[in-house]
Amino acid sequence: MSEKTFFLYDLHLHRSASQSAQDLVDKAAAGGFKSFGILQPVSARGIKTDDDLQKFINEVKDYPCYMGLQTATPGWSKVFSKELIDQMDYIVMDPQYMPNGNKYGDLMEVWDFNCYIDDPEDFMKRNVEWYLKILNNADDPLDIFSWPLFLPPSIQREYYMLWTQERMEQIVEAARKNHIALEINDLGHTPHAGFILMAKKAGVKFTFGSDTGDRRSFRLDYCKEVATLCNLTEDDFFVPVRKPRK
């Protein structure tokens, strides 16, 4: 798989005040990208109602790109009509909002420097349970699991001790069983090569995501480096099917 072929796979991009859908189209063309996907968060600050979702569809549907939702909470699909959800090319969820992440019952914002870990081993037990709840959830559609293996900053130094073989195998098996692709995230530099090789051996698919809404969009340096290291080929990647727009 050549480096240029990698450019097909940036499926984690956001619009913002500094980056419109047209800006993304122009940047993709200038960089030689074949395609990309725009995600809209389902959250208090994103899409909350059918009207919000229809507005997103109307704003993006005529651009030459994929269109998807980034969700954070199981049960999200009950809020929206199936007709609108079915117009999404793919659905992404990450484990970054983690309920009851410690003995104090905190809702963890895992990426945040203030994410409070009282006991790393207890956190990992809860963390893996949260991963499996997302991956095994049959009630909501899910195509891509984003930010796999990322840890809160306070315990990142223990990354390779905390992400044991057994824990990683549970995640890979759940992704394989449920036909969910794993994102290689450029912003977070996750997951590592050992995990990717484990998932590749199991037949799990991958995606690339620069995960930004600013000047860093389409930067895939880590993605390309680790994919090359792991000898990923085009067959190892999940490519969405573009759905009919209304």
Side-chain angles (χ1 to χ4, degrees):
M1 186 173 184
S2 68
E3 181 175 295
K4 189 170 184 180
T5 307
F6 287 157
F7 290 156
L8 174 63
Y9 297 104
D10 198 340
L11 295 182
H12 198 149
L13 293 160
H14 297 283
R15 297 173 301 160
S16 68
S18 63
Q19 181 170 265
S20 68
Q22 187 59 55
D23 290 334
L24 287 167
V25 171
D26 295 342
K27 192 168 184 179
F33 284 69
K34 295 178 180 179
S35 189
F36 63 92
I38 294 176
L39 290 177
Q40 188 73 3
V42 175
S43 68
R45 292 179 291 180
I47 290 176
K48 300 182 289 294
T49 66
D50 271 356
D51 288 343
D52 295 335
L53 181 48
Q54 185 64 66
K55 182 174 183 288
F56 171 57
I57 293 169
N58 293 342
E59 291 172 346
V60 175
K61 66 181 181 179
D62 293 328
Y63 289 96
C65 64
Y66 296 115
M67 179 170 62
L69 295 178
Q70 182 175 8
T71 67
T73 306
W76 66 269
S77 63
K78 294 180 176 62
V79 177
F80 304 102
S81 70
K82 185 176 184 301
E83 179 185 8
L84 293 178
I85 293 174
D86 285 348
Q87 293 182 56
M88 296 296 104
D89 300 320
Y90 61 107
I91 306 296
V92 174
M93 187 168 179
D94 63 61
Q96 298 283 61
Y97 287 96
M98 178 183 169
N100 297 311
N102 57 28
K103 68 181 180 184
Y104 299 102
D106 290 346
L107 171 64
M108 299 288 202
E109 296 180 339
V110 174
W111 71 90
D112 195 286
F113 278 91
N114 293 319
C115 181
Y116 186 78
I117 307 297
D118 53 330
D119 180 332
E121 283 295 333
D122 179 66
F123 168 80
M124 288 303 297
K125 178 178 179 293
R126 297 169 187 263
N127 194 32
V128 171
E129 289 173 354
W130 178 231
Y131 273 51
L132 296 179
K133 182 176 181 178
I134 294 170
L135 290 166
N136 290 320
N137 175 21
D139 296 328
D140 301 308
L142 181 61
D143 300 297
I144 302 168
F145 186 82
S146 180
W147 285 82
L149 302 199
F150 185 83
L151 291 180
S154 62
I155 58 172
Q156 283 182 1
R157 68 179 66 87
E158 302 171 66
Y159 184 92
Y160 290 101
M161 290 185 291
L162 294 173
W163 278 119
T164 62
Q165 183 83 3
E166 181 183 0
R167 286 168 175 157
M168 293 190 294
E169 286 175 351
Q170 290 182 70
I171 295 161
V172 167
E173 174 56 21
R176 183 202 65 78
K177 180 179 65 176
N178 294 294
H179 308 287
I180 296 169
L182 297 171
E183 179 185 75
I184 301 174
N185 186 284
D186 200 74
L187 190 63
H189 281 211
T190 60
H192 60 73
F195 180 79
I196 291 171
L197 289 171
M198 183 189 302
K200 173 182 166 70
K201 184 177 181 180
V204 175
K205 301 292 186 180
F206 302 94
T207 66
F208 284 168
S210 58
D211 192 7
T212 62
D214 56 30
R215 68 189 185 284
R216 296 168 295 177
S217 59
F218 296 105
R219 292 184 183 178
L220 297 174
D221 298 281
Y222 174 76
C223 295
K224 291 184 286 187
E225 178 184 353
V226 76
T228 299
L229 180 64
C230 294
N231 295 313
L232 298 186
T233 69
E234 191 165 357
D235 290 341
D236 292 312
F237 287 82
F238 163 76
V239 180
V241 176
R242 189 175 167 93
K243 304 289 180 59
R245 316 293 200 209
K246 297 181 181 180

